[in-house]
Amino acid sequence: MLRCGRHTFDLARPLVMGIVNVTPDSFFDGGRYLDASRALEHARRLREDGADLIDIGGESTRPGASPVSESDELARVIPLVEALAAQGTAVAVDTRKPAVMRASIAAGAAMINDIGALTAPGAIDACAASDVGVCLMHMQGEPGTMQQAPVYRDVVAEVRDFLVARARACEAAGIARERIVIDPGFGFGKTLAHNLALLRSIGSLAATGYPVLAGLSRKSSLGEITGRGVGDRLPASLAAALAAVARGAAIVRVHDVRETVDALKIWLAVDVKA
Ligand code: 7PJ
């Protein structure tokens, strides 16, 4: 079971988190949903398509993206969180800023999804003061420069040890274990080889006992393998989502919810879990 505010998820089947970026510059949907009503409409569509959670991001973290101020991020994100939460949608907010976390939680967010794994001062406390779920993601370096020369001695062990340490820090601060998700952070300070090693080893991350979220949707590693641009990575993304789930991922974070839900239905029909 995963507890996220008033939402409780059964992890017996994989969950789908649908992505809505309200940014001018995200790599796939940047600029498309900057208008709040369009973002809301897109989020509703993703819900209808079968998303269990909607992930709202107001800060692009792609290499070279410009930083966003706290007030801009709040203005982009909070109205959407309020509107979606009021409809009963489980909303995750993708942010690194404690002030955005606190405002999102007050607006009804179910989960805080932090690519910084709640390392900002005050971030753990902002989440511990509520009952939201938290997604702790691994990143090497900072978004602007992380892809320049990522180096690991043992990428799987380092990512796993970091995530377990962050999860323990959250538990020590009062965030119950059932509220915690871990994420290897595909593409965040990782080469293709690092990403593949982590994908192959999702089972060893899942063996920590924390549910694992995998975010591979349309990422550049898929482009490196297929030679396709970001707009032509849907088949690769579906294959990556299935590969992750087959190795024990509990949640997949995707742009293409309808297609992913269909792919998972086939996988579930074959790989029946009693
Ligand atoms: C991830 C994320 C991811 C989690 C982004 C993109 C780049 N949050 N936020 N995991 N990626 N938890 O949308 O591809 O992989 S931003």
Side-chain angles (χ1 to χ4, degrees):
M1 288 294 187
L2 170 64
R3 289 202 296 114
C4 300
R6 52 205 174 86
H7 301 269
T8 299
F9 297 102
D10 182 353
L11 298 174
R13 63 166 188 92
L15 303 179
V16 175
M17 174 187 271
I19 303 169
V20 177
N21 284 313
V22 277
T23 54
D25 52 358
S26 285
F27 78 101
F28 177 54
D29 54 1
R32 229 187 278 182
Y33 311 116
L34 198 50
D35 179 83
S37 65
R38 293 188 65 194
L40 201 53
E41 187 185 302
H42 185 59
R44 287 199 186 115
R45 160 75 57 80
L46 297 185
R47 274 287 289 156
E48 283 167 23
D49 289 345
D52 300 285
L53 290 140
I54 299 293
D55 189 44
I56 297 182
E59 178 198 26
S60 173
T61 47
R62 77 168 184 200
S66 33
V68 56
S69 73
E70 191 174 291
S71 57
D72 281 354
E73 196 176 333
L74 287 167
R76 287 176 187 172
V77 166
I78 299 303
L80 285 176
V81 177
E82 280 174 350
L84 289 168
Q87 300 164 17
T89 297
V91 182
V93 176
D94 199 330
T95 188
R96 292 193 283 172
K97 297 186 180 73
V100 177
M101 293 173 189
R102 283 192 298 272
S104 299
I105 292 166
M111 176 182 267
I112 298 299
N113 171 27
D114 183 4
I115 64 161
L118 303 181
T119 47
I124 287 187
D125 290 341
C127 296
S130 75
D131 56 1
V132 292
V134 298
C135 179
L136 307 171
M137 197 197 80
H138 176 276
M139 165 167 64
Q140 184 179 90
E142 279 294 311
T145 51
M146 66 193 177
Q147 289 306 106
Q148 282 171 13
V151 179
Y152 298 84
R153 192 181 32 78
D154 178 341
V155 66
V156 174
E158 284 172 56
V159 167
R160 187 187 52 222
D161 292 353
F162 170 82
L163 292 172
V164 169
R166 295 307 301 156
R168 298 249 162 86
C170 286
E171 289 184 59
I175 300 177
R177 200 182 169 85
E178 314 83 67
R179 293 168 54 193
I180 300 173
V181 172
I182 60 172
D183 178 349
F186 292 106
F188 285 84
K190 282 131 195 147
T191 63
L192 173 59
H194 295 142
N195 289 320
L196 287 173
L198 287 165
L199 180 50
R200 288 185 194 108
S201 303
I202 280 185
S204 97
L205 298 178
T208 63
Y210 299 102
V212 176
L213 182 148
L216 287 149
S217 184
R218 300 198 179 252
K219 283 189 176 172
S220 63
S221 282
L222 307 184
E224 283 185 64
I225 295 171
T226 59
R228 306 288 184 198
V230 66
D232 294 318
R233 293 179 192 158
L234 173 58
S237 299
L238 296 175
L242 292 183
V245 163
R247 283 162 182 76
I251 308 175
V252 286
R253 179 182 177 278
V254 302
H255 299 91
D256 306 280
V257 170
R258 189 169 65 96
E259 294 84 350
T260 304
V261 166
D262 276 3
L264 286 171
K265 279 183 183 164
I266 301 305
W267 180 78
L268 278 169
V270 177
D271 195 43
V272 184
K273 303 219 173 109

